[in-house]
Amino acid sequence: PAVSLLYPYGPHQHDHKTPKLDDGTSKEISLAVPFTFYGKKHQTLYVNNNGVISFGVRVKQYTPDPFPLADGRPFVAPYWADVDNVLGGEIFYRETTDPVLLARITKNINQYFPKIPFTAIWAFVATWDHVAYYGSTSNKGNTFQATLTTDTKTSFIILNYEAIQWTTGKASGGDAETGLGGTPAHAGFNSGDETNFYNIPGSQTEAIINITQTSNVNVPGRWVFQVDDFKVTGVPTEVPKVAGSNNCWL
């Protein structure tokens, strides 16, 4: 079997879980090591059920807005959409200094960014495991992960997409049976300064369901960015095609 893109997660990793609550969030999580995001050091964060890791503020909003946001919320959106973990799935998270995992992360970053000297000393791993969408009448689930890592100076975020089966909750105009249509999920980075942001190609179009096939590091389903001083690296110029369609989304 193919090796999973995802870093290890779940109860056997002593992960915490966010509450079983529609539009729920974790408590404010204090970090052992400050994490620099768009030039600002953050000592706490929230894991939000609706596919967002945020700094300084919870994000309960379920229909995504395109970046940049005008309200100063700094966050990364692995897959911002109307998750409902009451209907299915779990959202796991942990802070870690496990040497085996840090070695694996370091190897990955060194492979993708060979000109940047980097040795991970810390990571934060959040995983949405087979999560359902609001209003779902199906058993569709999305599995994706965001990993934050730093050497205290340089910070990276690794986004891993293992299975994406739906794009939209019912309250965002999605179909209850298919989880498609309406205002689809958004993936990207919002600095909070109303100017700096990055949208992963396909965001808020039906093409976002193919994010398991896209990448900026030549590993389908994985997107990696340096985020202390945000840099866009190796981004495909062509937005993914929708299955069964000859049209590219612009």
Side-chain angles (χ1 to χ4, degrees):
V3 176
S4 173
L5 272 186
L6 302 184
Y7 298 121
Y9 70 93
H12 60 291
Q13 296 294 326
H14 307 292
D15 280 3
H16 303 281
K17 291 194 285 190
T18 66
K20 287 276 191 183
L21 180 67
D22 183 41
D23 303 329
T25 76
S26 70
K27 66 183 193 317
E28 187 173 25
I29 302 160
S30 294
L31 306 179
V33 174
F35 186 79
T36 306
F37 185 69
Y38 282 98
K40 290 186 179 177
K41 285 189 175 182
H42 297 277
Q43 202 76 56
T44 66
L45 56 72
Y46 295 94
V47 177
N48 305 276
N49 288 3
N50 289 336
V52 169
I53 296 175
S54 56
F55 303 99
V57 60
R58 289 181 166 92
V59 177
K60 297 187 176 187
Q61 182 179 338
Y62 53 85
T63 301
D65 285 322
F67 298 154
L69 303 177
D71 59 11
R73 288 179 289 174
F75 64 76
V76 53
Y79 200 81
W80 186 13
D82 198 357
V83 170
D84 189 349
N85 64 345
V86 178
L87 290 178
E90 300 284 359
I91 297 130
F92 295 104
Y93 64 89
R94 77 182 180 284
E95 216 180 2
T96 181
T97 55
D98 171 51
V100 174
L101 179 59
L102 292 181
R104 182 174 163 189
I105 290 171
T106 297
K107 183 180 177 184
N108 290 152
I109 297 296
N110 293 164
Q111 180 184 346
Y112 309 141
F113 300 87
K115 294 180 180 175
I116 301 173
F118 182 80
T119 302
I121 65 153
W122 169 94
F124 184 90
V125 183
T127 310
W128 286 255
D129 183 40
H130 201 74
V131 289
Y133 55 93
Y134 179 79
S136 172
T137 59
S138 75
N139 62 358
K140 286 185 173 185
N142 288 346
T143 299
F144 56 94
Q145 183 181 72
T147 298
L148 286 57
T149 187
T150 186
D151 63 1
T152 73
K153 292 179 181 170
T154 310
S155 303
F156 291 92
I157 293 180
I158 302 163
L159 304 178
N160 293 321
Y161 300 92
E162 183 163 272
I164 299 295
Q165 298 181 331
W166 61 266
T167 64
T168 322
K170 188 176 178 184
S172 305
D175 183 282
E177 194 172 327
T178 66
L180 305 174
T183 303
H186 190 89
F189 299 81
N190 192 67
S191 69
D193 66 9
E194 302 175 30
T195 304
N196 295 291
F197 67 94
Y198 179 72
N199 297 319
I200 288 180
S203 285
Q204 290 198 287
T205 77
E206 60 185 22
I208 197 66
I209 201 162
N210 293 328
I211 199 167
T212 55
Q213 306 303 316
T214 65
S215 176
N216 67 331
V217 292
N218 294 315
V219 180
R222 175 171 283 174
W223 288 77
V224 188
F225 296 89
Q226 182 182 348
V227 299
D228 53 289
D229 176 18
F230 190 89
K231 293 181 174 65
V232 178
T233 310
V235 175
T237 53
E238 194 174 335
V239 173
K241 291 182 173 65
V242 179
S245 166
N246 293 321
N247 298 321
C248 281
W249 286 90
L250 301 176

